[in-house]
Amino acid sequence: MSDPSPLLPPAFAQWFAQRGWQLRRHQAEVLAAAEAGASALVIAPTGGGKTLAGFLPTLVRLHQRPREGLHTLYISPLKALATDIARNLEAPVGEMGLDVRIETRTGDTPQNRRQRQRQRPPHILLTTPESLALLLAYPDAAAFFAGLQRVVLDELHALVPNKRGQLLGLGIARLRRLAPGLQVVGLSATVAEPERLLAWLSTPEQPARLIQGDDGAEPSIEVLIAGGHMPWSGHFGVYAADDLYARIKRQRLTLIFTNTRSQAEIIFQALWRLNEDALPIGLHHGSLEIGQRRKVEAAMAAGRLKAVVCTSSLDLGIDWGDVDLVVQVGAPKGASRLLQRIGRANHRLDEPSKALLVPGNRFEVLECMAAIEAIAAHALDGEVQHERCLDVLAQHLVGTACAGPFDADDLYAEVSTAGGYQGLSRQDFDDVLAFVATGGYALATYERYRKLQQGPDGLWRLTDGRLARQWRMNVGVIQDAPMLKVRLGRRVVGEVEEMFAATLTPGDTFVFSGRVLTFEAIRETDMFCRLADSGAEPKVPNYGGTRLPLSTHLAARVRGWLAHPERWPQLPAPVREWLACQVDRSELPNDDELLVECFPRNGRWFVVVYAFAGWNAHQTLGMLLTRRLERRGAGPLGFVGTDHALAVWSLRPVDDVASLFSVDILGDDLEEWMAESSLLKRTFRQVATIAGLIERRQPGQEKTGRQMTVSSDLIYDVLRKHEPQHVLLRATRADAAVGLLDIRRLADLLVGVQGKIRVRHLARVSPLAVPVMVNIGRENVAGSALDDLLDEAVDDLVAEAMGPRLAA
Amino acid sequence: MTLDPHLVPLQLGGETLMLDGRGAVWWPERSTLIVADLHLAKAEAFAAQGRFLPPYDSRATLARLVELINAHRPDHVVSLGDGFHRRDGYDRLDAADRQQLDALGLVTRWTWLSGNHDPDAPNGHGASAPELQLGRLHLRHLPTPHPGQAEIAGHLHPKAALRVRGRRLARPCFVTDGQRLLLPALGTFTGGLDVWAPAIAGLFAGPFDVLLCGRDGRLRQLPGSRLEGARRVKVRQGGT
């Protein structure tokens, strides 16, 4: 293999040789694809030389035929990644003496440099989907991109499933129009369904090639069973801190991933309590002040840290330092996510990455085993994907009009080939166009304010140049929750979601940035805190964000472990005993039936369902079952869900339990609940912001916000009443079905178990029910409507004032 | 007296009023219905700035008015100011909405008090006035800091939040201390100001009551101290 590719010029071959490298097979295939003018999808594990593969054809081309002007556009989901890649490219460019200019362009790029870039573009421009959208909206976009040859899309697997991928897909379609023959190369980690990414990258005229990199060494993953002990509930893994600490001491640099920020805080605290050797252990999550995060990253890169506790904040992007162990605390939730995290350790392909899983409870042990098994079998999670998002399309149509007049038929043809928009109906396109032009309401009252006007030439154009500025202020699809600055005296130590702050009462204590803080007051966008008295137990350990859903794929594997006792010898003893006890007292869920247990406890009647449908779907099911029980007069009192099971309890016993789960539960009850649900309203707010109906909140604007904006909840209510089929409500329902409610998952579950529901009536709580039962009291939401809650608040008061007479 | 579930009686400055949980005051003795901050044609004002809010807010607000007028059959309706979001709001209304409003003008007598958004009443639509004295009560848009007599005012769009079982509930509300009554905004696209904001809480020297308008049109009465934010204010007062 002295001459692996005839396409590699001597200067390059020499550079590879000097470094002791060989051109890898997939790198050669990318060169060949470029030579043939084809687009490609490169799937390779981290450390596989993927990024170099992406840029190699550009560098070779510019070496052989030097030219001016923009040649290659690189787009990544992270600004920091763009900057890092620019730095990495300097090595080959400098060492081979190539005359190639490389620049980044992100939200942080100074105005004068941006202007200069448009006048004299570099050969390679590294940017983000949002900056691309902005570039495409300039009136000179056609000239700017006319000579573009290649686009490299990094971490494509992370972009495509969400709305940023939608924005990017539309941008790429535009680029293909402006620069015919454009080659698009997507770089992706290993995914479950590469054909979806491939379809995203392909057009009818230009199908993309699939290029698979060689697999690296199989990772070595073990489950930590700390001192033979295993808690019944919780996800924090604090019980394992001693063992974890011992492991950290032995490693060079350990990356400890958690699933939530509060988890990260708690593990960080637990480790520092043990830290007699004063090991440098850092913390990194999305709520921390950006300067603090940068400091941790720099310290990692410089090898000054021994361990970093983090959240998904370090899932993607740059490799900071020489990580030799990855720890996952709490359930992995999905095989793909776990694999991605493990990939952060050891970037040499020929050595296995080392990982340690720390389950938080007995069910999580099963989940860890299932994930290890899935990774060994190379079976990854399929991902639910946003498709044909009409709100993103609305934003794109205005952006396109900002660049110049467009023909609706042409634009429809272009958009319906875009990644994520294939199969878009003309009706939907026209509805979005009408929305953008005049609001698209049946009551056509806004004709005189129209934003887009069709001229005598049939082309659509903006009616007012100022609209372009308004659009620029609101571009992008990333939805930041409104944040408050956390202040310790005058110092800002980070940010929390406004939603979280609203749940606190002054005097409440919570863990933040490794310390226990006492909440004092909120003023405007500041949340004032002080350090809590030493030794204070945090009252609210839990803050921050989204719950990662358990993947369907992993859930099925967990069921598999339960249903097949012959595999139990691989499980730790406490888990084996727990399962054996369950067999003795009740039974185990099997592969194709739905196990439901009913038992009395403390004067309440419990129904526990082992649906393994994930927390989100269980929340929905809990809500629906509560409604049903209410109608049946069972007097439901509450429900609580985990990723694996759901418990509902009521005042009176429930008859004919199996019929509770009939499929029609997804009919009227669901409609009604969804209509009231705050989830749907929150989704509408996002959709309306992206579509440009309401303004994105700008920093510093909050003060005047009250007068300037109308609450999106009010808009939602009015629209739902008067025009339920409006394009924005359609977009909202589609989003909710994908992202928030897991309705489809619930529907699949209920349809699948019809006639196969096993009801067990027990005298007392079963072992398997314990992990869900111990959550009761932590989150207790009844299915009552708002007005009932108001009445309850009043009743409390009356009871307080009138004493036991009323209470009886 | 009827047992209308929407109504709660209130003594204000020696007069007996009925607070209607649908967001208005009904004064039986004078057959007068009092409403505040309708902000008609607000969506139009946004559309003019390129934000196409659903043009159904006026329709929804008018429907609430119709319900209230049908329920009480008043001889007189008083709008406490900001009846329209903009001075030219009447002309900006959709034709059907304008007809609806004209029809309401035929079934009862109207007085439009001036607000900060609409200093003038719509042309030919009843009387307009800066303020109004009715019985022992003074009706005006902006509450006065030290009124000589009991007053009913709008402008502030009061709203209150409380926490029940971990859920935060915020609803429009009436605020009163027996001398002053603040009305919730009846307009569809009207946000609210929390009762603990200085603009509202600062008006009342002593304790005040808050009556929340439920979605079912019924009122829930709570003392201010029970509401979310009450402790926050105390902390601040204690600190300074």
Side-chain angles (χ1 to χ4, degrees):
Chain A
M1 282 238 312
S2 59
D3 185 16
S5 169
L7 296 172
L8 201 64
F12 283 72
Q14 210 180 340
W15 181 75
F16 268 82
Q18 273 165 8
R19 305 212 135 203
W21 289 357
Q22 276 196 336
L23 187 69
R24 293 220 170 96
R25 182 182 48 79
H26 66 273
Q27 291 170 334
E29 284 179 30
V30 175
L31 278 174
E35 188 66 16
S39 290
L41 171 65
V42 185
I43 294 185
T46 330
K50 204 164 37 180
T51 316
L52 185 58
F55 284 103
L56 212 45
T58 302
L59 299 179
V60 168
R61 189 71 174 182
L62 289 172
H63 165 70
Q64 288 170 332
R65 282 180 231 166
R67 50 159 263 191
E68 277 308 298
L70 183 64
H71 182 279
T72 293
L73 200 58
Y74 163 91
I75 298 165
S76 91
L78 300 170
K79 287 189 256 187
L81 200 53
T83 316
D84 193 55
I85 296 286
R87 218 175 10 239
N88 291 345
L89 280 177
E90 277 165 17
V93 168
E95 287 163 22
M96 285 186 275
L98 304 177
D99 180 22
V100 175
R101 269 194 316 125
I102 301 165
E103 290 179 17
T104 59
R105 184 190 184 95
T106 67
D108 300 338
T109 309
Q111 189 60 33
N112 57 352
R113 178 127 64 95
R114 282 193 231 184
Q115 234 144 37
R116 188 165 43 77
Q117 279 171 348
R118 280 171 61 206
Q119 281 148 14
R120 186 166 173 261
H123 295 105
I124 300 177
L125 185 66
L126 307 134
T127 187
T128 60
E130 290 73 25
S131 288
L132 172 64
L134 286 166
L135 277 171
L136 282 169
Y138 282 114
D140 61 0
F144 185 80
F145 290 113
L148 185 70
Q149 301 294 309
R150 305 185 68 239
V151 179
V152 178
L153 307 173
D154 206 353
E155 308 266 17
L156 190 61
H157 61 284
L159 277 173
V160 162
N162 57 50
K163 289 194 176 180
R164 291 183 84 198
Q166 297 266 286
L167 185 69
L168 180 61
L170 292 167
I172 300 290
R174 192 94 267 260
L175 286 176
R176 284 185 155 128
R177 176 64 63 102
L178 300 178
L182 185 73
Q183 294 173 23
V184 185
V185 175
L187 311 177
S188 166
T190 319
V191 288
E193 298 162 295
E195 51 287 347
R196 283 170 89 161
L197 289 186
L198 205 57
W200 191 93
L201 275 173
S202 300
T203 63
E205 298 79 39
Q206 201 195 33
R209 294 184 186 179
L210 178 61
I211 297 174
Q212 290 270 13
D214 296 320
D215 288 330
E218 297 290 332
S220 114
I221 314 170
E222 50 176 314
V223 177
L224 177 70
I225 303 299
H229 174 68
M230 182 53 61
W232 282 99
S233 79
H235 314 283
F236 294 108
V238 170
Y239 72 98
D242 280 308
D243 292 43
L244 195 53
Y245 182 73
R247 281 299 292 267
I248 292 172
K249 263 167 98 166
R250 296 209 303 267
Q251 303 294 140
R252 205 165 45 236
L253 172 57
T254 305
L255 212 46
I256 302 164
F257 282 104
T258 60
N259 291 335
T260 64
R261 282 175 233 161
S262 54
Q263 228 172 353
E265 291 277 3
I266 284 168
I267 286 290
F268 179 72
Q269 276 211 323
L271 289 174
W272 269 98
R273 269 197 295 272
L274 298 170
N275 198 353
E276 289 163 355
D277 312 274
L279 300 181
I281 299 174
L283 178 65
H284 192 285
H285 63 67
S287 277
L288 294 179
E289 202 252 324
I290 191 105
Q292 210 171 326
R293 273 183 273 163
R294 294 292 165 264
K295 255 191 246 168
V296 172
E297 288 160 9
M300 272 174 83
R304 282 187 276 114
L305 290 182
K306 193 76 181 158
V308 177
V309 184
C310 62
T311 60
S312 53
S313 61
L314 287 180
D315 270 6
L316 279 186
I318 308 151
D319 299 315
W320 303 105
D322 202 359
V323 178
D324 60 347
L325 177 68
V326 164
V327 176
Q328 163 73 35
V329 174
K333 302 291 172 198
S336 301
R337 171 180 293 271
L338 182 61
L339 193 62
Q340 172 101 19
R341 288 182 162 181
I342 291 173
R344 306 311 281 171
N346 174 38
H347 278 193
R348 281 175 295 274
L349 267 187
D350 40 357
E351 278 174 37
S353 305
K354 268 198 292 181
L356 183 66
L357 309 184
V358 185
N361 61 50
R362 282 167 168 72
F363 260 119
E364 290 192 350
V365 173
L366 296 175
E367 216 176 298
C368 289
M369 300 302 283
I372 291 175
E373 172 193 79
I375 287 174
H378 297 258
L380 301 179
D381 311 304
E383 199 161 357
V384 200
Q385 199 158 318
H386 279 279
E387 269 180 330
R388 297 184 284 274
C389 293
L390 302 182
D391 52 347
V392 184
L393 180 59
Q395 195 178 95
H396 181 71
L397 292 191
V398 179
T400 306
C402 290
F406 66 81
D407 177 88
D409 293 343
D410 284 354
L411 191 57
Y412 170 69
E414 175 188 313
V415 162
S416 54
T417 63
Y421 284 88
Q422 286 135 3
L424 177 78
S425 74
R426 181 64 196 243
Q427 184 65 52
D428 279 346
F429 178 87
D430 287 342
D431 287 352
V432 172
L433 185 56
F435 163 75
V436 169
T438 63
Y441 299 104
L443 189 67
T445 47
Y446 293 155
E447 196 51 44
R448 67 183 124 165
Y449 309 119
R450 62 167 44 248
K451 288 205 278 201
L452 291 185
Q453 179 83 51
Q454 204 173 11
D457 54 1
L459 301 183
W460 292 84
R461 40 174 65 79
L462 278 191
T463 53
D464 185 341
R466 280 171 299 185
L467 292 167
R469 210 174 40 212
Q470 195 184 58
W471 179 85
R472 288 190 168 274
M473 297 290 287
N474 286 285
V475 88
V477 296
I478 302 173
Q479 294 291 318
D480 294 324
M483 301 295 272
L484 298 179
K485 290 194 187 75
V486 182
R487 278 184 185 276
L488 257 183
R490 294 204 175 159
R491 262 189 65 217
V492 176
V493 290
E495 292 187 316
V496 293
E497 284 90 353
E498 203 177 353
M499 293 278 283
F500 167 71
T503 65
L504 296 181
T505 314
D508 281 353
T509 48
F510 65 105
V511 187
F512 190 86
S513 190
R515 289 175 287 201
V516 182
L517 304 186
T518 305
F519 167 57
E520 290 191 312
I522 296 173
R523 270 170 235 160
E524 280 153 27
T525 58
D526 291 330
M527 174 178 176
F528 289 92
C529 301
R530 60 180 163 79
L531 282 177
D533 307 330
S534 60
E537 275 296 306
K539 181 176 166 199
V540 191
N542 195 19
Y543 74 94
T546 45
R547 250 170 203 273
L548 301 170
L550 173 67
S551 79
T552 321
H553 160 227
L554 214 51
R557 284 183 186 267
V558 171
R559 291 182 80 127
W561 275 88
L562 287 173
H564 295 281
E566 67 276 10
R567 292 155 76 182
W568 294 357
Q570 297 173 58
L571 295 172
V575 179
R576 277 201 311 270
E577 285 154 22
W578 169 57
L579 296 181
C581 192
Q582 170 72 11
V583 176
D584 186 46
R585 301 271 169 81
S586 171
E587 64 181 273
L588 283 164
N590 60 33
D591 282 339
D592 49 20
E593 285 175 314
L594 181 68
L595 175 63
V596 181
E597 292 176 337
C598 308
F599 50 84
R601 188 164 188 275
N602 293 343
R604 310 254 152 106
W605 294 86
F606 286 83
V607 174
V608 177
V609 191
Y610 301 94
F612 296 94
W615 183 83
N616 282 334
H618 289 161
Q619 288 299 103
T620 309
L621 186 59
M623 212 79 81
L624 297 176
L625 287 178
T626 313
R627 275 175 185 274
R628 240 178 207 195
L629 291 173
E630 221 158 276
R631 273 209 307 277
R632 286 199 188 177
L637 295 166
F639 68 87
V640 62
T642 65
D643 269 333
H644 311 100
L646 167 73
V648 185
W649 58 98
S650 54
L651 278 173
R652 288 173 284 280
V654 183
D655 317 316
D656 192 11
V657 173
S659 69
L660 278 178
F661 299 91
S662 62
V663 177
D664 60 0
I665 200 169
L666 291 170
D668 297 346
D669 279 341
L670 182 63
E671 289 267 301
E672 196 186 321
W673 175 68
M674 277 185 54
E676 288 167 16
S677 154
S678 63
L679 294 179
L680 219 52
K681 289 189 171 170
R682 216 179 308 146
T683 309
F684 177 76
R685 177 160 54 224
Q686 295 173 356
V687 166
T689 309
I690 292 171
L693 184 72
I694 54 179
E695 254 170 291
R696 192 178 289 272
R697 295 221 313 198
Q698 306 286 350
Q701 233 185 20
E702 277 80 355
K703 268 191 198 170
T704 54
R706 201 174 55 79
Q707 294 93 341
M708 293 307 297
T709 61
V710 173
S711 141
S712 65
D713 289 3
L714 295 173
I715 300 173
Y716 172 80
D717 286 339
V718 166
L719 196 52
R720 194 165 69 86
K721 178 141 184 261
H722 292 273
E723 210 165 323
Q725 288 310 314
H726 189 265
V727 65
L728 290 191
L729 290 182
R730 270 151 47 202
T732 301
R733 288 190 288 262
D735 265 18
V738 172
L740 291 168
L741 298 179
D742 289 78
I743 295 299
R744 215 180 309 166
R745 195 162 171 183
L746 191 58
D748 291 349
L749 170 80
L750 290 180
V751 171
V753 299
Q754 290 307 303
K756 291 186 282 189
I757 295 171
R758 279 193 74 79
V759 181
R760 293 287 304 234
H761 290 275
L762 308 173
R764 57 180 161 144
V765 55
S766 77
L768 207 58
V770 171
V772 61
M773 298 283 290
V774 292
N775 284 302
I776 291 171
R778 289 193 199 161
E779 37 188 331
N780 183 353
V781 193
S784 316
L786 181 139
D787 287 324
D788 296 343
L789 289 180
L790 278 175
D791 285 336
E792 194 179 298
V794 176
D795 289 349
D796 287 354
L797 261 191
V798 173
E800 254 169 55
M802 308 291 287
R805 201 154 46 97
L806 257 189
Chain B
M1 182 134 309
T2 56
L3 283 173
D4 187 328
H6 300 101
L7 301 182
V8 169
L10 174 79
Q11 294 295 321
L12 188 77
E15 303 281 1
T16 302
L17 306 175
M18 305 299 284
L19 303 187
D20 190 312
R22 290 166 290 197
V25 171
W26 169 231
W27 192 345
E29 199 186 315
R30 295 187 171 261
S31 188
T32 297
L33 182 73
I34 306 168
V35 295
D37 299 281
L38 302 175
H39 285 267
L40 291 165
K42 183 165 178 176
E44 283 270 338
F46 273 78
Q49 296 162 12
R51 307 260 173 222
F52 297 131
L53 301 193
Y56 304 105
D57 62 321
S58 303
R59 190 159 296 190
T61 306
L62 287 167
R64 291 181 198 176
L65 265 179
V66 168
E67 189 185 351
L68 286 162
I69 288 173
N70 280 339
H72 301 298
R73 307 262 162 203
D75 293 332
H76 184 195
V77 176
V78 180
S79 158
L80 289 182
D82 287 358
F84 291 87
H85 191 67
R86 290 275 185 275
R87 186 182 291 227
D88 60 353
Y90 178 77
D91 302 316
R92 284 175 182 266
L93 280 181
D94 172 70
D97 294 341
R98 206 158 42 216
Q99 276 171 19
Q100 172 77 270
L101 184 60
D102 291 347
L104 290 179
L106 294 176
V107 299
T108 176
R109 182 166 67 87
W110 282 73
T111 302
W112 298 83
L113 300 187
S114 322
N116 48 319
H117 281 266
D118 59 341
D120 312 312
N123 280 340
H125 250 276
S128 69
E131 331 189 317
L132 187 65
Q133 179 79 36
L134 273 186
R136 277 166 281 192
L137 300 181
H138 209 89
L139 279 57
R140 49 168 66 100
H141 182 60
L142 291 166
T144 43
H146 305 287
Q149 60 181 135
E151 70 170 9
I152 303 180
H155 178 62
L156 289 165
H157 303 197
K159 202 168 113 178
L162 73 163
R163 183 157 293 285
V164 187
R165 277 198 251 158
R167 275 185 68 179
R168 184 176 187 272
L169 307 174
R171 295 293 299 159
C173 62
F174 293 91
V175 188
T176 184
D177 61 352
Q179 272 302 298
R180 181 192 280 113
L181 172 65
L182 300 178
L183 261 63
L186 193 67
T188 305
F189 283 165
T190 50
L193 184 61
D194 192 87
V195 293
W196 294 113
I200 296 181
L203 282 172
F204 297 95
F208 53 83
D209 277 332
V210 166
L211 293 97
L212 282 91
C213 302
R215 277 178 200 273
D216 55 3
R218 300 184 187 199
L219 287 164
R220 276 86 176 168
Q221 182 158 10
L222 294 162
S225 59
R226 164 83 184 171
L227 299 168
E228 190 175 68
R231 269 205 273 165
R232 190 152 88 208
V233 169
K234 271 189 208 145
V235 166
R236 187 158 60 202
Q237 283 167 348
T240 49

